Amino acid sequence: MSYLKIINKFFEYICRFLVGSLLALFTMSIVAHVFLRSVFSYPLSWAQDGAVMLFIWMVFLGAPVALRYRMHFAIDLFGDKVPRLGYVLNVVCDVLVYLFLYVMIVYGVDFLKIAHSMYYSYLYIRQSYVVVAIPLSGFIMFFMNTENLIVDLRALTARSLLEDGGEVS
Amino acid sequence: MNDTALMLLLGIFFITIFLKLPICFALGLASVSTMLYLGIPLANIINIMYASLDSYPFLAVPLFMLVGSLMNGGGITDRLMNVSSAWVGHIRGGLGHVNVVVSMLFAGLSGSSQSDVAGIGTMIIPAMKKAGFHAPFSVAITAASATLGAIIPPSIIMVIYASLAQISTGALFLAGFLPGILIGLSQMFYCYFLAVKFNYPRDQKMPMKKRLTTTMFALPPLLVPIIILFGVIGGVFTATESAAIAVCLSLLLSVVVYKSVRLRDLGAIFSDSAVTSCISLFMMAVAGCVAWLVGYLNLPELITNYILSITSSYYGVMTMLILVLSILGMLLNPSIIIIAFMPVILALGKVAGAHPLHLGIIVNLVLALAVITPPYGTSLLLAAQIGGVSPLRAFVSIIPMFLLAMLIIFLGVVFPELFLCIPRFFMPKAM
């Protein structure tokens, strides 16, 4: 197994564990808030802020897992009708994904400086602790996308070899 | 300059999605290039992505998806199917009617069409094919009835719409009831018509005692949507809180009452549901950038002026709105359309003079049908895959049911009270 696959497997394990736990945690915080408000008239003022923070982290940690398994919605107009074109488009798309990941990482770090001076009203936690999920997500997706790109390049070259009458190893 | 930027935004978006680039990245790249052209600092993209998700109502999206997964994994779908079979299985075209009724019941639990197809379709499509129903029709009625998941409350797209349009979620939920039932009945009517034409089979009529026993077994899950609805309507909790409570009730049912989900499987169910919901949510975060640019470039005013140059009548504007949303629905996810084009939708509603709640329910109904229109009809594609039928054949079979649903939507345009009477009765203050 290549180093990249090992790294991505590790990232996936961590992300899957975290997104499941974050979902469970914010569900519990909302239920606790409703229960305490309805039964004891004692609402948890921080519960909404807390749940939203966990939710944002969940979204940006789940996106890399979806990218690894190519689960993000795409419209396939050509299907299997033009296989060669399909392989080329896969590679083109992987390269285009890098452009957006670059923005997520570089400008995400930039925005962190601004978000560091802003606070959540009830929890009094710096917003940068939540915004940091965006560049981090871009960073993990960079590895996931590289794995996809390698697979697509291999598929493209294998296809070319087959069409040229060569053998695929 | 604005025209060129608008062309750039839409041009790059459509070119890249036709290249098969995932929609979230296509939205992102279109926003990045437009912002670069306009000289807007790119750090804004990060700010908008963050701000788009910094919304308490959006937490309902993963929660309702989790409820769907727990219900599917917990054998609750089987019980709902047995109830439907007991009451409508004996009508000509029995399994077709069961398909529609179970979707209506499941709609009260899940909130999305895809979980409806995934949960019910895998069971009922093979059963329908085995019983002698045509495969494309089995796929079509499964996908068409799954649209009820987004119409009959609770509904994820309604939560998103209500939070962005600043209308009452409970009232919008209530407004979805009658059209949902009418669309379901129209599908049953069409199924009956085909059953007579092609001599589709039916089940034997169950004795009343057995019907009641079967219903009793499925009563606990059927109470979940009632608790959710009354909680939201009565102002006891918000839509997001109702979704969290629905998660607890589903856990209680599947782990403790029915014991069909083991505790050690819960980790996988939670993480799978979270990852699945992240697909739409990540897209929604990026779609926020497009929505911001749409507003910045004054697109609502441009479209409103354009439509006003063609027609200014209520019927004309509403028809144009339905047409535009249907075309967008062929390419985009309903929640993305709501987020990116909300300013345009609200501007057109204002021009038409439609009641905000009436506009909301019409938009949600049209967008609920987007999941069955190709090329981006996710429910249709999923059902076609389960049934082993080409999406094109499935689409041809679904056209009559799509047209019947459209007819009901237009009835609602002509007679607004048809959709507004229930919320007006239960929540007059929200009107």
Side-chain angles (χ1 to χ4, degrees):
Chain A
M1 200 191 293
S2 68
Y3 287 119
L4 187 63
K5 267 194 174 170
I6 296 170
I7 293 169
N8 283 348
K9 218 175 169 183
F10 169 74
F11 277 140
E12 188 195 330
Y13 179 79
I14 299 285
C15 286
R16 274 189 183 276
F17 173 75
L18 286 175
V19 292
S21 312
L22 291 168
L23 178 57
L25 271 175
F26 75 69
T27 309
M28 283 193 279
S29 76
I30 296 170
V31 173
H33 172 61
V34 176
F35 180 75
L36 290 172
R37 185 187 61 203
S38 321
V39 180
F40 299 104
S41 303
Y42 180 75
L44 299 173
S45 49
W46 51 266
Q48 284 201 2
D49 271 0
V52 171
M53 282 169 56
L54 299 173
F55 165 75
I56 295 174
W57 264 97
M58 184 199 81
V59 175
F60 288 107
L61 287 177
V65 180
L67 182 67
R68 188 171 194 213
Y69 292 98
R70 299 174 197 264
M71 288 158 78
H72 288 291
F73 297 130
I75 298 172
D76 192 0
L77 286 179
F78 305 104
D80 296 330
K81 284 171 219 143
V82 201
R84 179 74 191 261
L85 182 65
Y87 289 119
V88 175
L89 287 182
N90 284 345
V91 173
V92 172
C93 289
D94 293 335
V95 175
L96 290 175
V97 168
Y98 278 125
L99 297 179
F100 190 65
L101 296 184
Y102 172 81
V103 174
M104 278 179 75
I105 299 168
V106 174
Y107 292 92
V109 172
D110 252 17
F111 185 68
L112 270 181
K113 292 164 201 159
I114 303 167
H116 200 62
S117 57
M118 295 188 283
Y119 290 84
Y120 277 93
S121 47
Y122 285 110
L123 284 169
Y124 210 67
I125 287 176
R126 289 179 193 275
Q127 288 190 5
S128 56
Y129 296 157
V130 179
V131 174
V132 72
I134 301 178
L136 182 67
S137 173
F139 178 75
I140 300 172
M141 280 202 263
F142 177 85
F143 286 91
M144 304 293 190
N145 195 49
T146 307
E147 190 183 345
N148 287 348
L149 178 65
I150 292 170
V151 170
D152 290 336
L153 278 172
R154 277 190 187 147
L156 179 67
T157 47
R159 177 87 200 171
S160 310
L161 274 174
L162 276 176
E163 281 174 2
D164 295 342
E167 279 183 23
V168 185
S169 58
Chain B
M1 188 174 180
N2 274 10
D3 289 353
T4 320
L6 207 55
M7 295 279 279
L8 196 69
L9 179 73
L10 298 177
I12 291 184
F13 172 64
F14 284 112
I15 290 170
T16 47
I17 57 168
F18 288 135
L19 288 178
K20 220 174 103 181
L21 183 69
I23 294 166
C24 53
F25 295 110
L27 289 163
L29 283 183
S31 309
V32 168
S33 27
T34 313
M35 283 193 178
L36 279 175
Y37 175 76
L38 292 167
I40 299 167
L42 288 184
N44 273 314
I45 293 225
I46 309 299
N47 186 15
I48 299 165
M49 280 172 75
Y50 162 72
S52 303
L53 292 178
D54 191 10
S55 154
Y56 190 60
F58 284 7
L59 271 70
V61 177
L63 294 173
F64 278 129
M65 285 210 177
L66 180 59
V67 173
S69 301
L70 285 167
M71 293 285 180
N72 278 334
I76 292 162
T77 318
D78 301 10
R79 285 166 207 271
L80 297 182
M81 205 129 102
N82 292 341
V83 176
S84 315
S85 186
W87 292 98
V88 294
H90 62 281
I91 305 172
R92 281 185 90 156
L95 275 175
H97 301 295
V98 172
N99 197 332
V100 177
V101 173
V102 77
S103 293
M104 287 163 102
L105 297 176
F106 197 77
L109 301 165
S110 75
S112 89
S113 310
Q114 281 82 352
S115 50
D116 187 311
V117 176
I120 298 164
T122 39
M123 280 189 272
I124 207 158
I125 294 175
M128 283 180 78
K129 279 165 71 178
K130 203 174 162 189
F133 287 81
H134 292 107
F137 172 70
S138 312
V139 166
I141 198 156
T142 306
S145 62
T147 58
L148 300 172
I151 299 172
I152 294 178
S155 154
I156 290 173
I157 59 169
M158 283 187 190
V159 173
I160 296 169
Y161 184 93
S163 76
L164 293 177
Q166 295 182 329
I167 57 173
S168 156
T169 312
L172 193 57
F173 276 180
L174 284 174
F177 244 123
L178 202 55
I181 290 167
L182 287 176
I183 291 172
L185 287 175
S186 75
Q187 289 165 356
M188 288 175 76
F189 169 78
Y190 178 66
C191 176
Y192 185 83
F193 169 75
L194 285 191
V196 173
K197 193 175 169 189
F198 297 115
N199 200 21
Y200 285 151
R202 59 173 143 189
D203 295 341
Q204 275 198 330
K205 198 170 181 176
M206 268 190 204
M208 186 53 83
K209 197 177 168 188
K210 201 174 172 193
R211 280 184 188 180
L212 292 173
T213 326
T214 317
T215 312
M216 283 299 287
F217 276 120
L219 212 52
L222 290 175
L223 288 175
V224 176
I226 296 171
I227 295 170
I228 292 175
L229 261 184
F230 278 93
V232 175
I233 296 162
V236 183
F237 35 70
T238 64
T240 306
E241 290 166 357
S242 76
I245 288 162
V247 169
C248 293
L249 293 173
S250 318
L251 272 173
L252 188 76
L253 287 174
S254 50
V255 180
V256 182
V257 180
Y258 296 134
K259 293 188 173 66
S260 43
V261 171
R262 288 172 300 181
L263 271 177
R264 63 175 166 194
D265 295 335
L266 281 181
I269 293 178
F270 269 74
S271 68
D272 286 348
S273 299
V275 170
T276 312
S277 56
C278 287
I279 299 168
S280 331
L281 291 164
F282 182 71
M283 201 156 55
M284 281 157 67
V286 189
C289 304
V290 175
W292 187 85
L293 282 166
V294 161
Y296 184 85
L297 296 171
N298 239 349
L299 187 63
E301 205 182 310
L302 285 175
I303 292 189
T304 312
N305 288 342
Y306 177 70
I307 289 184
L308 277 175
S309 69
I310 303 170
T311 173
S312 58
S313 76
Y314 164 77
Y315 294 112
V317 176
M318 290 303 272
T319 309
M320 294 286 272
L321 178 67
I322 291 172
L323 200 69
V324 171
L325 290 176
S326 303
I327 294 168
L328 285 172
M330 290 177 177
L331 298 167
L332 295 172
N333 181 302
S335 44
I336 301 309
I337 299 172
I338 292 175
I339 293 173
F341 296 97
M342 182 55 98
V344 180
I345 294 169
L346 293 180
L348 286 177
K350 209 173 167 185
V351 168
H355 187 286
L357 190 62
H358 184 225
L359 176 76
I361 190 61
I362 297 286
V363 170
N364 277 283
L365 289 173
V366 176
L367 293 181
L369 296 180
V371 292
I372 56 168
T373 47
Y376 187 69
T378 42
S379 293
L380 183 74
L381 294 177
L382 185 59
Q385 194 185 10
I386 295 168
V389 174
S390 80
L392 187 68
R393 283 182 69 200
F395 176 63
V396 172
S397 296
I398 218 169
I399 290 173
M401 286 179 272
F402 175 79
L403 293 177
L404 281 170
M406 273 293 174
L407 182 73
I408 291 163
I409 295 174
F410 275 103
L411 268 177
V413 171
V414 179
F415 305 108
E417 274 310 305
L418 187 68
F419 294 169
L420 296 182
C421 59
I422 297 185
R424 202 183 290 283
F425 182 76
F426 284 100
M427 296 181 81
K429 279 183 189 165
M431 299 298 290

